[in-house]
Amino acid sequence: MAQQERELLSTLSGRLDKVLAEALGQSRNQVEKLIKAGAVEVEEERVCKPSHRVEEGQRIRYRFLEAPRREELPVDFDVEVLYEDEHLMVLNKPAGVVVHPAPSVREATLVDWLIARGVRLSTLSGEERHGIVHRLDKETSGAIVIAKSNDIHRVLSEELKRREMGRYYLALIDHPLREDVTVDQPIARHPKNRLKMAVLPGGRQARTDFLKLEQGSDGGELIAARLHSGRTHQIRVHLAHLGRHILGDETYGFKSKGAKIPRIFLHARLLYLTHPATGKRLEIAAPLFADMQRYLEKYYERSLTDETLQTHAFVDRFAELFGAL
């Protein structure tokens, strides 16, 4: 269904997508999709090419497109809300929950949980995104931010691109790292297994800092990771490049030694961002889930672990060893 048409007079000359994006305060990507959908007219003529030249003073008529409503699935899980105000919320995503629906996903997702809470955002080009700014893999748990309006979504997305928003991760790995290390290696789709990524020449630039935290009696180690880029499976791929694997991550080479690992032990521990409305810096810690906590209690010294998990302790160490982000 189309929304009511609106009209404006161009105050600039140039490409239609650039002029309209400037006038609406929207991204050129969204405006380009709107134009290609046939929802824009210049001087009463429909224009479907984003590169169409517009002159100052010309009339541009446009309409936002409503997102189609998808079938809502029953939600049989709950999600802890770590922070919420009128503009955004930060959630502690459980492992096993998919963030976005897909043709291959038949169970309820985080998006279904958001729909049940009344969070429905649609872009001007008719895509429904429910405020999702960044993703976490299905088996990864931890902090994820949700925007409650398109304006907040746009600002947070820009923060993410500039790396002004990000997360620190905790992971349990099968063998200790030799040293605190930065891996700066390109990542691309695996040439033989489309479900995997790999370090490959010609891939997209990717950089991860790894920090040793504490060794366990199982022969493994608790580590922290800080991302300078946001590639698919980046932490898992860069660890595999070092010959290390996250417990439970059989996709990238973990082999169980008899221990029952319920899922991939990777957790987005700390989320940081600048609040788009207030300008204040937010740092929000996501508590570990019971499965990962139980493993730590079994194989790691409790007194050391409690101190290690203090977020500011390892954040400060990242800054000392690798420099500020």
Side-chain angles (χ1 to χ4, degrees):
M1 181 186 297
Q3 294 183 343
Q4 183 177 0
E5 288 189 344
R6 309 178 190 187
E7 188 174 285
L8 59 84
L9 291 178
S10 174
T11 59
L12 301 170
S13 297
R15 288 176 56 107
L16 175 58
D17 57 352
K18 186 175 180 179
V19 169
L20 192 54
E22 180 75 21
L24 298 179
Q26 297 284 343
S27 71
R28 284 179 66 177
N29 176 263
Q30 282 296 309
V31 169
E32 180 180 317
K33 291 177 180 178
L34 193 70
I35 295 168
K36 289 181 176 179
V40 178
E41 296 179 359
V42 178
E43 293 294 326
E44 299 185 356
E45 289 189 13
R46 181 178 297 175
V47 176
C48 296
K49 289 185 177 181
S51 61
H52 178 86
R53 182 169 179 81
V54 175
E55 301 298 335
E56 183 178 350
Q58 285 191 312
R59 288 178 301 158
I60 302 174
R61 185 176 297 166
Y62 62 94
R63 51 189 169 86
F64 293 170
L65 304 178
E66 286 189 4
R69 295 286 171 140
R70 62 183 293 272
E71 179 185 357
E72 297 181 21
L73 298 176
V75 178
D76 59 357
F77 59 86
D78 199 9
V79 180
E80 180 184 10
V81 179
L82 302 173
Y83 174 89
E84 184 172 14
D85 61 26
E86 62 184 301
H87 305 289
L88 58 87
M89 64 172 70
V90 178
L91 310 175
N92 194 9
K93 186 189 88 67
V97 173
V98 177
V99 172
H100 265 297
S104 60
V105 177
R106 304 197 180 279
E107 73 266 26
T109 67
L110 187 64
V111 163
D112 292 296
W113 184 86
L114 289 166
I115 290 173
R117 284 183 60 104
V119 180
R120 280 186 180 271
L121 298 187
S122 62
T123 66
L124 70 164
S125 63
E127 298 170 312
E128 197 164 26
R129 58 189 175 194
H130 305 283
I132 304 292
V133 179
H134 54 94
R135 303 186 182 191
L136 289 174
D137 294 339
K138 178 179 179 179
E139 295 305 325
T140 302
S141 58
I144 184 169
V145 64
I146 308 297
K148 289 186 174 182
S149 71
N150 283 320
D151 286 342
I152 296 297
H153 190 285
R154 177 175 54 82
V155 175
L156 288 175
S157 296
E158 290 170 355
E159 280 191 34
L160 185 63
K161 288 178 183 177
R162 296 192 300 265
R163 312 313 302 173
E164 294 171 3
M165 179 179 80
R167 287 163 293 188
Y168 290 87
Y169 291 77
L170 294 175
L172 287 165
I173 60 175
D174 51 3
H175 302 289
L177 296 172
R178 291 195 180 97
E179 59 186 351
D180 302 315
V181 64
T182 294
V183 179
D184 194 345
Q185 294 289 339
I187 292 176
R189 184 72 58 183
H190 195 287
K192 295 182 179 179
N193 185 342
R194 302 301 294 172
L195 298 178
K196 296 175 60 176
M197 308 298 286
V199 168
L200 291 171
R204 300 181 70 186
Q205 183 274 335
R207 178 183 169 191
T208 313
D209 299 326
F210 291 109
L211 182 68
K212 294 164 63 68
L213 294 180
E214 185 180 333
Q215 292 189 25
S217 61
D218 63 342
E221 187 172 41
L222 173 66
I223 65 169
R226 183 177 75 171
L227 302 179
H228 294 260
S229 48
R231 309 301 173 220
T232 301
H233 297 176
Q234 180 173 322
I235 293 173
R236 300 160 66 185
V237 173
H238 277 171
L239 280 172
H241 182 70
L242 296 173
R244 305 294 187 271
H245 312 96
I246 300 174
L247 301 190
D249 191 2
E250 297 178 0
T251 300
Y252 286 95
F254 170 72
K255 292 179 174 56
S256 175
K257 301 171 185 175
K260 188 176 181 181
I261 310 296
R263 52 100 171 185
I264 297 171
F265 278 149
L266 178 63
H267 181 75
R269 173 64 167 172
L270 182 70
L271 172 78
Y272 61 89
L273 60 91
T274 300
H275 196 293
T278 67
K280 293 182 179 179
R281 181 176 173 85
L282 292 181
E283 292 185 356
I284 299 171
L288 294 177
F289 284 88
D291 52 2
M292 197 167 175
Q293 188 67 51
R294 281 195 299 267
Y295 196 92
L296 284 170
E297 291 171 357
K298 183 175 182 180
Y299 294 106
Y300 288 76
E301 188 176 336
R302 183 62 182 265
S303 59
L304 290 176
T305 301
D306 286 346
E307 183 179 348
T308 300
L309 293 177
Q310 296 299 313
T311 54
H312 287 287
F314 65 76
V315 168
D316 289 344
R317 285 184 59 196
F318 271 110
E320 292 170 6
L321 290 168
F322 304 110
L325 279 169

